Amino acid sequence: MKSNTLTIIKKEFARFFGDRQLLFTTVIMPGLLIYIIYSLMGTGIQSMITKGSQEMVTMRVENMPQSLAPVFHSLDSNLIVTEQSFTDEDIKQLEDKEVNDLLIRFPENFDEVIATGTPSDNVPAVEIYYNSTNNACSRVHRVVSSVLNNYARPYTVSELDQASSDSIGAMIWSKILPMLIIMMLFSGVMAIAPSSIAGEKERGTIATLLVTPMRRNELALGKIVSLSGIALLSGISSFIGIALSLPKMVGMGDAADLGFHYTTSDYFVLLLVIFASVLIMASAVSLLSALAKDVKNAGTMVTPFMLVVMLAGLLPMFQDGASTSLLIYLIPFYNSIEVMTAVFAHEMQWMPVVVTLASDVVYTGIAVWVLTRMFNSEKIMFSR
Amino acid sequence: MEEILKTEGLTKTFNLSRKQQKIERTTAKRKVAVDNLTFSAYRGEIFGLLGPNGAGKTTTLRMLSTLIRPDSGDAWLNGCSVVSQPEEVRGKIGFLTSELKLEDFFTPNYLFDFFSMLHGVEEAEKEKRKKEMFDRFGIDKFAEVKVANLSTGMKQKLSLVISLVHNPEIIIFDEPTNGLDVLTARTVTDYLQELRDEGKTIILSTHIFSLVERLCDRVGIIIDGRLVACGNLEDVCDGMTIEDRFFEMYKEMKGGEE
């Protein structure tokens, strides 16, 4: 790399790493926030589930059918089943969400009606009283409903899912993670790129650089590479935050249980594609930032572009795996999302990866060329 | 006399926005900021471009520093064309204008090193020059203070020093004493004379007559983008003060209005 480009990269890094506030908000805070928020959410959900499943619930059954008594008594170790009638007053008490009671009223001749076939004009009505805001009661209600639904059916259905937990996990990751990664990388670029070029225009420091003998393409390349490097750090921070909070979020104790085990080559491809994506993002945002009059204007210009990228990130959720057409891998941003989808779904092939990386390098080259032209344009650089 | 700078038919036209048309009280969509400017400057002299606001002085200096491109004509600095060899030209000049700012975040020490690197100054030469310039302008006392925390005068001194990190042969200053306190202004003008004595060529723009009289060896008077007089101060003044001579020419140009 040319020495002036390196000088620009060093200056951008010195600016970034020397500003503790910027460093904190761009690199440390995203990962930390994601870890804290996701962990808290996971812990909260887990605590609700755990609490609900450990609390004792009393189920009072009026007119308990003999056919169902053994089933109800063996439903749950935290469930006390009593056979007794209840009053309207007992029902009223359920409004208190602290009361862990569930009341079921069967018709007196439930077993006989079911045994003789359900007459259409005399359907046995079963009444279940519970409080849905009480987690323990809700849990028991779901189980009891399930039992009753199956009981009343003339046939049973066996749902035998043959997919391994690994492939189910991989499918989930391939739909969620590309979008998350793209969003994090983009937010990293957004945090610094507008102020790097539009900010320099606004502050008048870009003109000071433009009167040095440095070539404009060296300046353009230096800006894009340094912004990419910093955005990558921000993206890595977010990624670490997700990786650390994932076990707490999914409540499985270990992300590997959900199929999160990938090979070294998968990680290598991910890293390459992430870097290529960041280059493209930094290039695009740099171009818009150079066009903008000031940082505020740059933010306004980048927002619609950000929405397009976010939408592209959502597409894997609506499709069945990565595309097989190589032409798709020529579309900037979307190609990276497709490759990431394939990697997370354990369907990675090398040709799409090569096409993606090669096209992204070409697009970055084009962006450097355009940015160079923009640095040469007095209308763009000095317009107010 | 060795010709260091030569301009030939330098012309620059700008599009006028509606707002600018209102300010200029014109319906014309374009304005000729610099019109067919031809002059030379020689080694070891201070050449002053004198003119009122909006005369085209700054536009001329911006073309000489390659920040903007002439529509037609060309200028050569030490033999390098501003049109076809802009990088080479930028390596030979030191350009200072209030439009050029320094990043608030960095210290004078860092900025001197940074711009020295961009100008390709050798490490040993850089250290020697830094010490010399920092001592001279009193920057050594605040070399490690961020620019954001410096006073306006300190910032201006630093901008001057930064524009000269590479010890250029040609120095182009746009309104060099504008906004400076009297002490800093004196330091700057003394330094410019010293540089002239060392054989540097200095091009400066100003609308201050006393500055031209005190500093310049030769002067070019520019009104409405056109060079109306150019030569030795004595020849241009023709026995009058530069101020009287300027207003005489201005009246001739504008048909009596002032």
Side-chain angles (χ1 to χ4, degrees), chain A residues 11 208 210 212 216 378, chain B residues 12 69 90 101 103 110:
Chain A
K11 176 224 155 198
T208 316
L210 295 177
T212 66
R216 306 293 199 240
E378 58 198 74
Chain B
K12 184 71 186 177
R69 233 178 119 91
R90 291 197 291 268
K101 301 279 195 275
E103 285 236 41
Y110 181 90

Side-chain angles (χ1 to χ4, degrees), chain B residues 143-154:
Chain B
E144 291 302 336
V145 177
K146 282 186 180 177
V147 172
N149 299 324
L150 300 182
S151 68
T152 309
M154 286 171 175

Side-chain angles (χ1 to χ4, degrees), chain A residues 142-182:
Chain A
R142 281 195 299 274
V143 176
V144 169
S145 291
S146 166
V147 168
L148 289 176
N149 285 335
N150 285 324
Y151 183 85
R153 284 181 180 180
Y155 55 87
T156 59
V157 177
S158 300
E159 293 173 5
L160 304 169
D161 188 354
Q162 298 300 303
S164 65
S165 65
D166 191 59
S167 61
I168 293 171
M171 185 194 69
I172 295 168
W173 298 130
S174 70
K175 288 184 185 299
I176 296 172
L177 287 184
M179 182 193 66
L180 283 178
I181 292 172
I182 288 290

Side-chain angles (χ1 to χ4, degrees), chain B residues 216-217 219 231-240:
Chain B
C216 297
D217 302 295
V219 66
N232 289 329
L233 205 52
E234 298 79 31
D235 297 342
V236 169
C237 289
D238 197 22
M240 290 190 258

